[in-house]
Amino acid sequence: MRKIMGAKVLFFFALLSFSAVSAFAQDEEDQGLVMNFYKDSCPQAEDIIKEQVKLLYKRHKNTAFSWLRNIFHDCAVQSCDASLLLDSTRRSLSEKETDRSFGLRNFRYIETVKEAVERECPGVVSCADILVLSAREGIVSLGGPYIPLKTGRRDGRRSRADVVEEYLPDHNETISGVLDRFAAMGIDTPGVVALLGAHSVGRTHCVKLVHRLYPEVDPALNPDHVPHMLHKCPDQIPDPKAVQYVRNDRGTPMVLDNNYYRNILDNKGLLIVDHQLAYDKRTRPYVKKMAKSQDYFFKEFSRAITLLSENNPLTGSKGEIRKQCNLANKLH
């Protein structure tokens, strides 16, 4: 009897030990997002990405705007999983080809960064992490803050083109709609105001703003700013493929700074959402505060980018590490 009892006790402890080891192995397998995820598997990864972004910025200044837009367009649509980068297939449309992605470009340079990382560590670093870290380095290139970001994302296998419009606000969306969409990701009102500060850099295609100029000029626009806009957008129905743009910020177009907030308070915002941001009672106090303090803008911008970058990532054994960022891996 004692032998049987002893055997049962040993079996019980063996089971407990096995459960503990299994749980530990599971935790080891999926540690989620962490700082310096690749410190053992590819210690040079973040430095390679930083160096590539710098080199590309020297050659093509507009890549920095692309890196910044990529993080919004990828991470805001259900998951930060590099689904944005997938090309269209016979079965699915690419997110890159949806109306919301109008004006996005320079995707080939993500492949340049990926190739450099693959040479050092084949099959280790995800396109999702490359997308997020290139955005961080792009922000620095534009004079913005350095934002410590976690890594460990894995790549999704499918485009989310069918739901893009549910998640990404349009340029003519009401401010309530914009606030609601970002709130669903855990980003509060000052965070949204800071994220829209990305309109401080780059340019807006005339397609997106002619409705404020034709058939009549929107009376909310600063009259001193209108002649410049009309000069840049002379056609009531612009050609989407034509190079017809207006700089978002004529003063410091290549610098991520708080000039955007001063501009929109002066009715120089190009998009309707810019104007609403300045005058809606929920957002105006933060606009005024950011117009006065670049430090406050950078603090809130960094916090919001961090939240955006951690939106529902694939980690552990979910997803995959793509060999090429524009194609899901072939399943054998």
Side-chain angles (χ1 to χ4, degrees):
M1 186 71 176
R2 276 183 190 168
K3 280 184 181 177
I4 293 170
M5 288 295 289
K8 282 184 176 176
V9 168
L10 283 171
F11 177 73
F12 176 71
F13 279 112
L15 199 63
L16 274 181
S17 302
F18 176 74
S19 300
V21 168
S22 298
F24 178 72
Q26 222 168 21
D27 287 345
E28 282 287 280
E29 185 187 337
D30 188 359
Q31 52 187 319
L33 296 183
V34 294
M35 287 294 178
N36 207 4
F37 178 84
Y38 299 105
K39 67 180 185 296
D40 298 321
S41 58
C42 188
Q44 299 301 313
E46 295 199 21
D47 286 338
I48 292 169
I49 294 166
K50 179 180 179 178
E51 192 56 35
Q52 286 296 313
V53 168
K54 274 186 176 177
L55 286 170
L56 286 163
Y57 182 70
K58 278 183 185 173
R59 282 184 243 148
H60 316 280
K61 291 285 189 281
N62 63 18
T63 53
F65 312 140
S66 300
W67 307 132
L68 187 48
R69 278 195 77 187
N70 286 347
I71 195 171
F72 291 114
H73 283 257
D74 186 59
C75 295
V77 183
Q78 288 188 327
S79 172
C80 231
D81 66 349
S83 60
L84 171 70
L85 305 178
L86 290 169
D87 287 344
S88 290
T89 65
R90 280 177 296 178
R91 294 182 180 179
S92 69
L93 179 72
S94 169
E95 291 172 39
K96 294 181 279 193
E97 294 182 37
T98 62
D99 287 343
R100 288 287 197 275
S101 299
F102 178 80
L104 284 180
R105 54 197 178 137
N106 290 325
F107 292 110
R108 66 188 182 278
Y109 297 129
I110 283 273
E111 296 298 342
T112 304
V113 180
K114 173 71 168 169
E115 285 163 12
V117 175
E118 286 291 301
R119 283 194 291 273
E120 179 74 17
C121 316
V124 174
V125 182
S126 69
C127 297
D129 276 339
I130 289 172
L131 182 148
V132 164
L133 294 177
S134 61
R136 175 178 75 187
E137 301 306 331
I139 289 164
V140 172
S141 299
L142 293 166
Y146 175 84
I147 308 169
L149 294 174
K150 294 176 181 177
T151 42
R153 295 164 195 79
R154 287 169 65 85
D155 301 322
R157 290 190 48 80
R158 65 180 184 86
S159 162
R160 301 176 190 274
D162 55 331
V163 295
V164 162
E165 294 197 2
E166 289 175 40
Y167 290 90
L168 275 182
D170 184 50
H171 61 288
N172 287 322
E173 190 113 5
T174 65
I175 199 68
S176 293
V178 174
L179 292 173
D180 288 346
R181 290 183 197 226
F182 282 104
M185 288 178 261
I187 299 173
D188 59 13
T189 302
V192 174
V193 174
L195 283 179
L196 283 168
H199 289 176
S200 151
V201 292
R203 53 195 189 172
T204 298
H205 198 286
C206 293
V207 164
K208 299 291 185 184
L209 54 87
V210 284
H211 59 283
R212 300 194 74 192
L213 298 173
Y214 305 99
E216 294 177 352
V217 172
D218 183 344
L221 283 168
N222 185 319
D224 294 338
H225 200 49
V226 170
H228 173 72
M229 292 173 71
L230 288 168
H231 172 70
K232 291 289 184 179
C233 300
D235 303 317
Q236 190 164 349
I237 304 174
D239 177 358
K241 293 178 182 175
V243 184
Q244 291 186 322
Y245 293 92
V246 180
R247 292 277 185 196
N248 289 340
D249 174 5
R250 291 173 68 191
T252 54
M254 299 294 293
V255 182
L256 182 69
D257 58 17
N258 64 337
N259 210 32
Y260 165 74
Y261 301 102
R262 290 192 283 273
N263 283 339
I264 63 174
L265 288 169
D266 196 24
N267 298 319
K268 291 178 182 174
L270 300 181
L271 302 173
I272 286 175
V273 72
D274 299 327
H275 178 73
Q276 289 183 346
L277 196 73
Y279 288 94
D280 188 278
K281 63 183 180 183
R282 291 163 293 182
T283 52
R284 186 173 173 84
Y286 300 110
V287 169
K288 291 171 85 171
K289 195 170 178 181
M290 289 178 199
K292 285 179 183 171
S293 170
Q294 180 138 296
D295 288 343
Y296 176 65
F297 163 47
F298 280 178
K299 179 172 81 77
E300 290 298 332
F301 184 78
S302 300
R303 186 174 64 86
I305 287 286
T306 301
L307 288 168
L308 187 64
S309 75
E310 295 176 9
N311 183 35
N312 195 28
L314 302 177
T315 58
S317 59
K318 295 173 187 167
E320 64 184 19
I321 304 297
R322 283 183 216 148
K323 291 183 175 69
Q324 282 179 244
C325 291
N326 63 327
L327 300 170
N329 295 341
K330 287 183 179 174
L331 295 175
H332 298 293

